[in-house]
Amino acid sequence: MASSMNSLETIQKKIDAVKLFLSVSLSIANAHTVDFYTCDVWDQFMAVPPVEVLTEITLNGDHKRAPEHYLNHGNAKKITFGFCDDSKRLVDVAEFLEAAYAHSLPGLGVCVGRTELLQSLRHTDNAQPLEEVPGAVVESDEFMNSKKSHEVQAMSEVVASLAQRCRVKQVIDVGSGKGYLCSFLSLRYGLQVYGIDSSSVNTHGAQERNRKLKKYSRAYQRHSKANRTPTVVPPSGQEDLEDIAPEDNSLPELDQSDPASAPEEPFLSALCVGMVEPTSPRVPPSELSLEERERRKRENLDRKARSWVNSGGMGSGMLYSPLTSYVTAETELKEIIGELEDAVMVGLHTCGDLAPSTLRMFVAKRELLSVCSVGCCYHLLSEEFDPTRQGHYMARGERKECPSSSVCGFPLSGYLREQSWFCGRNARMSACLALERVSKGQGIQMESLFYRAVLHVILRDHYSSFKSEKRVGNVYSKATSFVDYVWRALRRLELDESKLSDGVIQGYHDTYRPRMVEMEAFNMLKVTLAPCIEGLILLDRLCYLKEQEDVAFSTLVQLFDPLLSPRCYGVVGVKALGTELS
């Protein structure tokens, strides 16, 4: 297959190309929206008017020069990737946009398609059709929303093909969440699936949902045989289907009733619905009491026993065991899964450091013969070489101790670690954006970003605590106007309201409102950079697998439609099994 030409050396060269581009442009992604006016961000980075940027982004849709074009010709013009070599400001928007595309995963040409990967996995001398459970009927779009259904169907076929290629029946889903992928793999393909999630709420819900899905599947089979129609009435009434209704895959959930629980992420919180992947809280074992750890262990054992009985044992092809545990690269899987055999490890939109931990586990554990990992929430990655962290990193608005260098989320590969490369938190936050969706008109809610940036000017001018550790939080959603927004923010920050009046506040709004177009244009440039930053993170993970002697095959694959699922790329690896993939 095409990816077989992507040797370790080839991937390292691609990484070098992306690094060179980001060494010039990454400062845009790392600029904080809150500081946009207080630090004159536009004038600091831009030598063109904002209207020119927006016009070029709208009109210039064909940015497909090869990366070598910029390496060969950039310095001769004293302009590199559209930036002036002397002032470091952007002077050529068209060249910047072309360079951004050239240094994204599609422009680099390092990914394979899902169909191509499946053909390669099945291309063996004794290739057999992918086995499904006889009579199994699982229509994912009946109990998932369109996004989740698309993801589960696309990924499950790849996972099942990996299991068949490696001749295994066990699958371990790390960060399994609500268990949709686990249920589908067990019901459709007869695999023995262990879904591990740190949230007991998720595993309890997944257990109940899987029970109802099995009832639904049996009812579907009976109904289809009788009527030859896909319309199904659940066996226990409509409430069963309501309990497994589509989940909300929009923005990360915030407890609006608790101001302290709303992290100040003005850039992410300003995105339209569906522009970033949701997150779910993970509680490290060190923060659990001894009683809670023992309770979870007992629950896992009981749940596995109930799963076995309810599914009728292995012969039914419906075994799925949701387990509650916080896992890292050092986790001993045998302590969680007593019946552990050779298996495929998977992760569908595993959050932050959990995605690189999944790859580390795959490399370290003899029983794990293959891996398929789709990560998300890059802003929650810990970085080993970010100098601003000073031994800490931010996670959900909280300052936490960095893990040891061997388990930081980025960089993962020895190649990038040797170069002490780092991106920065704001850049990783930008990597969460969805260029394809923005291109189709699902843009950024600029008003909330504008409000926060102007508030920062007010705090600078009238209060000495504008760099306070206190956070404004999500007050925009409750505000009826900019004046109301500022009053709410001041109360949240516990600042003296007597220093301001409605008229003064409105004056700030009116002064900066004509400059809102600058913020809009600047954030569109951030969106344009998102695929390049994401690409570097994923190339680093692929490079890590290619550095391992016992990994015979590894590739990046586009699993999903980016309009439906922005985090659409998976990292796939297969250990040496005697017959290498073509």
Side-chain angles (χ1 to χ4, degrees):
M1 64 193 299
S3 67
S4 64
M5 297 182 292
N6 289 328
S7 63
L8 173 60
E9 182 181 3
T10 299
I11 296 303
Q12 290 174 342
K13 288 181 178 179
K14 300 291 186 181
I15 288 175
D16 289 341
V18 179
K19 279 176 47 200
L20 183 61
F21 172 61
L22 290 179
S23 69
V24 176
S25 60
L26 195 64
S27 56
I28 287 180
N30 269 319
H32 204 304
T33 308
V34 169
D35 299 321
F36 192 79
Y37 297 121
T38 56
C39 295
D40 291 323
V41 169
W42 183 265
D43 289 337
Q44 182 180 347
F45 294 105
M46 311 299 297
V48 294
V51 173
E52 180 178 331
V53 173
L54 293 174
T55 301
E56 193 65 45
I57 289 175
T58 302
L59 298 179
N60 193 349
D62 187 19
H63 318 302
K64 297 184 179 178
R65 294 180 186 175
E68 291 76 10
H69 164 85
Y70 307 98
L71 300 180
N72 295 336
H73 303 291
N75 291 331
K77 298 186 295 182
K78 296 295 184 180
I79 296 174
T80 305
F81 306 125
F83 290 84
C84 174
D85 290 352
D86 296 328
S87 68
K88 310 302 182 185
R89 299 166 77 198
L90 183 65
V91 296
D92 189 331
V93 181
E95 182 163 329
F96 168 80
L97 295 177
E98 291 171 354
Y101 176 81
H103 295 90
S104 66
L105 291 180
L108 292 167
V110 294
C111 288
V112 301
R114 193 178 71 94
T115 300
E116 184 181 358
L117 175 65
L118 290 172
Q119 290 173 346
S120 179
L121 291 173
R122 297 167 187 171
H123 182 64
T124 61
D125 294 336
N126 300 314
Q128 298 292 327
L130 190 61
E131 297 178 0
E132 296 186 7
V133 175
V137 181
V138 187
E139 299 295 335
S140 63
D141 56 356
E142 294 286 343
F143 56 89
M144 306 178 207
N145 62 26
S146 58
K147 175 181 181 293
K148 184 59 65 177
S149 174
H150 170 66
E151 294 166 351
V152 166
Q153 291 196 68
M155 190 165 179
S156 64
E157 188 176 7
V158 170
V159 174
S161 297
L162 286 170
Q164 187 177 57
R165 176 67 184 80
C166 297
R167 301 181 181 88
V168 301
K169 280 293 185 179
Q170 280 192 2
V171 174
I172 302 172
D173 184 359
V174 179
S176 55
K178 297 184 178 181
Y180 288 119
L181 178 63
C182 297
S183 294
F184 200 85
L185 286 168
S186 64
L187 291 166
R188 171 65 65 86
Y189 296 107
L191 294 167
Q192 183 183 16
V193 186
Y194 294 95
I196 304 175
D197 196 274
S198 64
S199 168
S200 59
V201 174
N202 279 344
T203 49
H204 278 297
Q207 176 74 20
E208 181 63 14
R209 188 176 295 105
N210 188 60
R211 180 187 66 81
K212 292 176 179 178
L213 289 180
K214 286 188 285 186
K215 291 169 64 178
Y216 174 84
S217 180
R218 297 186 190 110
Y220 198 111
Q221 294 177 56
R222 292 194 300 269
H223 195 80
S224 296
K225 290 178 181 179
N227 301 293
R228 301 300 176 187
T229 174
T231 304
V232 180
V233 177
S236 59
Q238 184 63 33
E239 67 275 8
D240 273 0
L241 275 184
E242 290 174 352
D243 285 345
I244 54 175
E247 60 188 296
D248 177 16
N249 283 286
S250 54
L251 291 176
E253 295 181 3
L254 298 175
D255 182 0
Q256 304 296 342
S257 63
D258 180 10
S261 71
E264 184 174 31
E265 304 287 7
F267 196 42
L268 287 183
S269 62
L271 303 179
C272 288
V273 171
M275 283 192 61
V276 294
E277 299 297 334
T279 66
S280 58
R282 300 175 65 230
V283 182
S286 60
E287 298 181 13
L288 297 175
S289 65
L290 179 61
E291 292 77 8
E292 174 64 13
R293 277 179 276 180
E294 287 299 320
R295 185 186 66 80
R296 289 189 177 191
K297 185 175 181 179
R298 289 194 302 271
E299 282 184 354
N300 287 339
L301 293 174
D302 292 344
R303 193 175 292 113
K304 285 191 286 186
R306 289 196 302 271
S307 241
W308 182 272
V309 173
N310 292 338
S311 64
M314 279 291 292
S316 70
M318 291 186 177
L319 181 61
Y320 161 40
S321 301
L323 308 173
T324 303
S325 180
Y326 180 91
V327 294
T328 67
E330 287 75 31
T331 299
E332 287 296 336
L333 294 175
K334 288 184 177 180
E335 294 182 1
I336 305 173
I337 304 170
E339 306 84 3
L340 181 65
E341 302 172 358
D342 288 350
V344 175
M345 173 160 278
V346 303
L348 174 54
H349 291 150
T350 45
C351 182
D353 285 348
L354 186 56
S357 290
T358 299
L359 299 179
R360 285 192 174 102
M361 279 190 280
F362 163 65
V363 169
K365 311 302 181 185
R366 178 184 56 80
E367 300 88 356
L368 301 178
L369 303 186
S370 183
V371 66
C372 182
S373 170
V374 182
C376 69
C377 305
Y378 303 126
H379 59 298
L380 298 180
L381 281 171
S382 59
E383 289 199 71
E384 183 176 353
F385 300 107
D386 191 337
T388 66
R389 294 296 175 258
Q390 297 179 343
H392 298 80
Y393 71 104
M394 299 298 293
R396 295 183 179 84
E398 296 182 8
R399 191 172 178 83
K400 296 190 175 182
E401 292 286 338
C402 267
S404 63
S405 61
S406 63
V407 292
C408 277
F410 181 84
L412 185 62
S413 67
Y415 187 67
L416 272 183
R417 290 187 68 197
E418 288 174 359
Q419 302 173 58
S420 302
W421 181 264
F422 71 94
C423 289
R425 184 168 185 269
N426 289 334
R428 287 181 281 106
M429 192 179 300
S430 297
C432 297
L433 301 175
L435 175 61
E436 291 81 6
R437 289 186 175 182
V438 174
S439 301
K440 295 297 182 180
Q442 300 179 31
I444 301 172
Q445 297 176 1
M446 290 306 307
E447 188 176 66
S448 64
L449 296 176
F450 173 71
Y451 278 15
R452 183 62 185 88
V454 178
L455 170 67
H456 211 55
V457 178
I458 294 175
L459 295 177
R460 179 197 64 184
D461 292 350
H462 296 273
Y463 301 90
S464 60
S465 58
F466 78 103
K467 292 185 178 180
S468 169
E469 289 297 320
K470 295 180 180 178
R471 311 178 75 81
V472 173
N474 185 27
V475 300
Y476 173 79
S477 62
K478 302 174 183 178
T480 58
S481 65
F482 178 71
V483 173
D484 184 42
Y485 171 86
V486 171
W487 290 129
R488 289 177 179 271
L490 292 178
R491 287 191 289 271
R492 176 69 59 81
L493 296 173
E494 299 179 348
L495 295 176
D496 183 5
E497 299 177 37
S498 66
K499 292 184 178 183
L500 297 174
S501 66
D502 287 357
V504 171
I505 295 173
Q506 187 61 41
Y508 276 94
H509 176 277
D510 297 343
T511 297
Y512 285 94
R513 183 63 181 80
R515 295 181 58 187
M516 186 173 172
V517 66
E518 296 175 359
M519 181 176 285
E520 181 182 0
F522 195 82
N523 282 322
M524 287 303 297
L525 294 177
K526 279 192 171 187
V527 172
T528 303
L529 283 171
C532 307
I533 304 167
E534 178 182 37
L536 181 64
I537 292 171
L538 295 180
L539 284 171
D540 171 58
R541 294 174 184 179
L542 177 60
C543 185
Y544 171 75
L545 291 186
K546 290 190 177 293
E547 291 171 345
Q548 312 305 318
E549 293 184 358
D550 63 341
V551 177
F553 171 81
S554 57
T555 189
L556 288 175
V557 55
Q558 182 175 331
L559 291 170
F560 314 132
D561 180 345
L563 281 175
L564 283 174
S565 182
R567 304 283 76 78
C568 61
Y569 297 105
V571 182
V572 172
V574 180
K575 289 180 180 175
L577 301 171
T579 303
E580 293 189 3
L581 295 176
S582 60

